[in-house]
């Protein structure tokens, strides 16, 4: 059975946005006659047939709920920006985001509070949920399964709820992030005395970063001299750096595998150790760029949080409207950022 042609196929064929193709096919205004004719001719040539399910759904607003268990103000904000970009692109399809409370702290919240917020979003009449679960909780798995039984699908982002009925897990490639971090530090500091700072080992994504980092070091016959958990708190990272330097004065490199690296950089700067201790961190923010510019940070591994949000929304939309089931695991590969290219990844 041949694959049904969608507006995305037409948009790819013509190098037009899906929104433009949709507006042309629907006779919407602000589309030139030339473009409309080209879209209609291409649709006929490719064998496009309007999806009646999509037509019925778009008569009323499609609501996609967004809930975070712990809002990490830099990383999570970039995810939200990616989501909002996707929602804006889908505006003509009558799609909107329904956000849960984004004022929760970066540390994992009380499970009951998170589930209460999740159910508030569900009760607003959403058609699907995008959920960042942070830690693995049995209660989250149970709730996702109950929602699936009610016909409300869930996509998890960043961290996961294994053994649940979520339809997809969209996240950065944690093992590759750790692997690249280890390789960069090996080039910057060939003595092998490198440490890794991570948020929480129990977070699926963070454990993947540790695995990638240690596996790469082991290939060179080394292990990290220390692994510190900071709970993604800059103040904890600051004091953990002080402890690292006291316990392991020979340390020559630090990989900060989460978005909160300013505490580490602050301590290294205060002690005047920029030349001795090389730092590789994750994600591009004004704070990390400042430390990149003054040579405290040598390189940044950008995990593309914007893409995480954008892909999650578009995957949910395609599932709700077209019935297209996304891949169970959607991995987004990181980018290496240095002084010469950080502006490309700095999200305004």
């Amino acid at each position: 059975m041949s694959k049904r042609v969608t507006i995305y196929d037409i948009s790819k064929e013509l190098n037009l946005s899906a929104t433009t193709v949709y507006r042309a096919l629907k006779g919407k205004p602000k589309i030139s006659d030339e473009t409309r004719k080209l879209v209609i001719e291409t649709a006929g040539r490719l064998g496009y047939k309007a999806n009646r399910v999509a037509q019925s759904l778009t008569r009323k607003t499609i609501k996609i709920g967004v809930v975070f268990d712990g809002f990490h103000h830099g990383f999570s904000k970039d995810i939200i920006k990616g989501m909002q970009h996707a929602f804006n692109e889908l505006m003509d399809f009558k799609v909107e985001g329904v956000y849960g409370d984004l004022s929760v702290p970066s540390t994992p919240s009380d499970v009951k509070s998170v589930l209460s917020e999740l159910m508030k979003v569900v009760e607003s009449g959403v058609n699907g949920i995008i959920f960042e679960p942070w830690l693995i909780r049995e209660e989250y798995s149970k709730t996702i399964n109950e929602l699936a039984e009610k016909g409300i699908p869930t996509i998890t982002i960043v961290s996961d709820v294994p053994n649940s009925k979520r339809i997809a897990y969209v996240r950065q490639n944690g093992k590759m992030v750790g692997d690249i971090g280890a390789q960069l530090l090996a080039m910057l500091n060939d003595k092998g005395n490198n440490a890794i700072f991570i948020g929480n080992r129990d977070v699926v994504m963070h454990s993947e970063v540790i695995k990638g980092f240690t596996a790469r070091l082991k290939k060179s016959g080394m292990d990290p001299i220390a692994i510190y958990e900071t709970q993604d708190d800059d103040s904890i990272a600051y004091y953990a750096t002080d402890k690292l330097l006291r316990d392991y004065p020979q340390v020559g490199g630090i990989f900060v595998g989460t978005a909160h690296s300013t505490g580490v950089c602050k301590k290294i700067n205060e002690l005047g150790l920029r030349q001795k201790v090389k730092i590789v961190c994750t994600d591009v923010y004004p704070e990390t760029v400042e430390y990149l510019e003054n040579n405290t940070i040598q390189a940044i591994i950008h995990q593309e949080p914007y893409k995480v949000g954008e892909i999650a929304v578009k995957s949910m939309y395609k599932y709700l409207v077209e019935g297209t089931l996304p891949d169970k695991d959607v991995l987004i590969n990181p980018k290496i950022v240095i002084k010469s290219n950080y502006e490309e990844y700095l999200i305004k």
Side-chain angles (χ1 to χ4, degrees), residues 66-68 75-76 79-80 83 130-134 154-161 168-172 205 305 308-309 311-313:
V66 178
V67 178
F68 285 78
F75 193 82
S76 299
I79 291 176
I80 292 295
M83 288 181 171
I130 297 173
F131 181 42
E132 193 254 45
W134 203 230
T154 300
I155 290 177
T156 54
I157 58 172
V158 183
S159 195
D160 194 22
V161 183
Y169 173 28
V170 181
R171 89 281 197 184
Q172 60 274 42
M205 178 50 54
V308 171
I311 290 172
V313 169

Side-chain angles (χ1 to χ4, degrees), residues 266-284:
K266 182 180 178 182
K267 173 55 72 173
I268 293 298
N269 264 274
E270 287 178 357
L271 297 176
L273 295 175
R274 283 186 299 181
Q275 298 301 317
K276 178 179 182 264
V277 181
K278 307 302 181 183
I279 297 176
V280 174
C281 73
T282 54
D283 299 307
V284 181

Side-chain angles (χ1 to χ4, degrees), residues 71-190:
F71 191 77
H72 304 77
H73 292 284
F75 193 82
S76 299
K77 278 184 177 179
D78 284 352
I79 291 176
I80 292 295
K81 288 176 182 176
M83 288 181 171
Q84 199 54 53
H85 175 77
F87 284 130
N88 289 342
E89 279 197 349
L90 296 169
M91 191 179 299
D92 284 336
F93 296 84
K94 297 181 71 176
V95 179
E96 69 177 36
V98 179
Y99 296 97
D101 183 9
L102 300 180
S103 64
V104 292
S106 61
T107 51
S109 306
D110 174 68
V111 175
K112 289 184 179 179
S113 298
V114 175
L115 289 178
S116 174
E117 194 62 34
L118 178 59
M119 294 317 296
K120 284 181 187 177
V121 172
V122 170
E123 288 165 6
S124 71
V126 297
N127 304 94
I129 289 285
I130 297 173
F131 181 42
E132 193 254 45
W134 203 230
L135 295 177
I136 298 173
R137 307 285 194 186
E138 184 179 338
E139 296 92 334
Y140 293 163
S141 181
K142 180 181 177 182
T143 300
I144 289 172
N145 293 345
E146 289 174 351
L147 291 176
E149 293 298 320
K150 295 177 181 178
I152 302 174
T154 300
I155 290 177
T156 54
I157 58 172
V158 183
S159 195
D160 194 22
V161 183
N163 304 316
S164 71
K165 293 181 180 179
R166 50 88 169 155
I167 62 170
Y169 173 28
V170 181
R171 89 281 197 184
Q172 60 274 42
N173 190 336
K175 285 186 179 179
M176 185 178 288
V177 169
D179 187 299
I180 293 173
Q183 290 187 66
L184 289 173
L185 278 185
M187 289 187 284
L188 294 164
N189 170 45
D190 60 5

